[in-house]
Structures are given as C-alpha cells and as structure tokens.
Amino acid sequence: MLAGTAAVALVTGTSGAASAAGSTLFLSDTDGRSLGTMTHLDPDPDTSRVCDTRADGHGVTGKLYTYIGGWQLRETQADGGDAGCDYFDYNVVSSTSKYLMKICWNGPGEICAKKEFTED
C-alpha cells in the first residue's frame, strides 16, 4: 500500500505547452516512487505509449485531450497486469492546436499528472 495517497493529486512534468515529439509525462506517488509514464511518439501515425512502472496491482490510465472551446477527450488507454506497455494512435495535427496528456494511477486516491503540448 502506498502511504499518503488519499485524495492527493501529484502533477509532474513541466508547465506550459511542450512540443509533441518525444514528449514524456512521468507519474510518481507522494514518496517519489514511479507509478507510470505516458509518451507521445511523433512518427505518422502519431502514437501514445502508456506504461505501468510499478507492480502494485493497480495499473495506470492515460488519456489524450484536444482543446476545442474546452478540453475534449479523444483517446483512453489503460496499462497494468501484463508485461510491456500499451499504445494507441491519434493523429496530432497543427501547431495551432493544443493537446493534453493525462496519466492517473488506478489505485485509491487521486494521483495524476498532466502536460499540455503542441505539434511541431
């Protein structure tokens, strides 16, 4: 069990918009232990990789949003309970569009990380 996780939102990564190519989001618990990662891979088609990095039986869920008058959910992918990571494809277009990656731990409490990015 992870200590101190109840109702805690932990945001890691950088603030502001980053470029899309190779953009990685790291999720850690309140003690700094890695829980998962979400990475945007830029070759066409654009692919996102979601990885559970802690064998605690809970897994992680990654989500991709676009901003169109508000954040709109485009894709969701969970990972956990197996070897390796899980992937989804979503074509990230235009440097004028804003995107948001969000990864959350599927255990108790609210532990999430998010990062905005744009296409190069």
Side-chain angles (χ1 to χ4, degrees):
M1 182 170 181
L2 298 174
T5 59
V8 174
L10 181 66
V11 179
T12 60
T14 59
S15 60
S19 64
S23 189
T24 299
L25 181 58
F26 299 94
L27 178 66
S28 300
D29 67 12
T30 56
D31 294 324
R33 294 175 293 214
S34 177
L35 298 173
T37 62
M38 183 172 176
T39 304
H40 175 264
L41 306 168
D42 202 30
D44 289 327
D46 292 279
T47 301
S48 291
R49 177 178 59 215
V50 178
C51 301
D52 177 13
T53 57
R54 185 162 184 86
D56 60 8
H58 294 292
V60 294
T61 299
K63 296 182 179 185
L64 179 68
Y65 298 83
T66 58
Y67 192 85
I68 304 171
W71 289 109
Q72 308 292 317
L73 179 63
R74 296 299 176 203
E75 294 289 340
T76 300
Q77 181 64 58
D79 184 53
D82 61 355
C85 301
D86 287 310
Y87 299 81
F88 65 85
D89 292 338
Y90 185 84
N91 191 24
V92 173
V93 296
S94 175
S95 61
T96 60
S97 297
K98 291 194 311 185
Y99 296 88
L100 177 81
M101 293 190 301
K102 182 177 181 182
I103 184 170
C104 295
W105 181 57
N106 297 335
E110 177 74 17
I111 300 180
C112 295
K114 60 186 175 181
K115 177 193 277 187
E116 288 183 31
F117 67 95
T118 57
E119 181 70 296
D120 289 337

